[in-house]
Amino acid sequence: MKRSTPHVTQRGAMQIRMLGQLEASDSHGLLELGPPKQRALLARLAVEPSRTVRFEQLLDDLWDDDLPRSASKMVHSYVSQLRKALPGDRLLTEGGGYRLIVADGERDVDRVQHLRESARAAMRRGAPETASRELAAALSLWRGPALGDLSEPFARQE
């Protein structure tokens, strides 16, 4: 079933932190992301924000060569639980896969990239103090190894 995509302004704000253990929050605080494989599913979708990830690819990324018979049912269950946990209509079923809607700046990795670019621009303008503040702010977003609580190969690669 294909879902319509409402405007991001209709969704509640969300932050996804991947620079350390996976965390997600909304205006009410941290979200309960569930068991490890469910968390890994969210992380896998967040790695490619707002892009559809094929169902078969998710199975490969979550279980690699150790695919249980119930993997398909498990993914459907995890998606259902994540839809309940995430604010708004963030997790869509599309084209034989799933897509996590993420607005610009909602992922910490995007904020780091923006701060890094801002620091470079500050250096080009001859403002090293500003560049230093931007880089310090970027470094402060790191809480440990990226996706450090996940053991799936895709997470280690990221």
Side-chain angles (χ1 to χ4, degrees):
M1 175 171 98
K2 190 170 184 173
R3 294 171 159 235
S4 63
T5 306
H7 295 286
V8 171
T9 55
Q10 293 177 349
R11 294 183 175 87
M14 177 174 70
Q15 297 294 312
I16 299 176
R17 288 178 288 286
M18 300 165 65
L19 300 174
Q21 291 188 355
L22 177 68
E23 293 181 348
S25 62
D26 64 9
S27 60
H28 303 291
L30 286 178
L31 302 175
E32 178 54 50
L33 301 178
K37 284 292 185 203
Q38 185 170 304
R39 297 168 57 76
L41 173 62
L42 176 62
R44 178 57 185 88
L45 294 170
V47 165
E48 294 188 69
S50 300
R51 290 192 177 153
T52 301
V53 179
R54 291 180 306 103
F55 189 79
E56 294 78 17
Q57 184 66 53
L58 291 171
L59 294 174
D60 288 344
D61 289 342
L62 294 177
W63 283 281
D64 201 25
D65 294 330
D66 194 25
L67 190 69
R69 288 182 192 219
S70 60
S72 292
K73 286 183 182 180
M74 293 167 75
V75 168
H76 293 300
S77 175
Y78 295 154
V79 166
S80 176
Q81 292 305 309
L82 285 170
R83 283 185 173 140
K84 293 175 187 174
L86 300 175
D89 192 13
R90 295 291 188 133
L91 188 47
L92 309 179
T93 302
E94 288 188 345
Y98 295 103
R99 180 165 63 113
L100 178 67
I101 302 299
V102 179
D104 187 39
E106 288 187 327
R107 298 184 321 154
D108 56 358
V109 294
D110 297 329
R111 291 189 301 279
V112 165
Q113 181 66 24
H114 173 75
L115 289 164
R116 186 176 139 245
E117 290 168 7
S118 179
R120 284 185 175 171
M123 286 301 293
R124 286 192 297 273
R125 290 191 316 269
E129 297 84 11
T130 300
S132 179
R133 281 193 302 276
E134 297 291 311
L135 291 173
L139 287 173
S140 74
L141 294 173
W142 283 86
R143 298 170 292 108
L147 302 174
D149 58 328
L150 303 176
S151 61
E152 289 73 13
F154 86 87
R156 289 192 307 267
Q157 225 175 327
E158 289 299 320

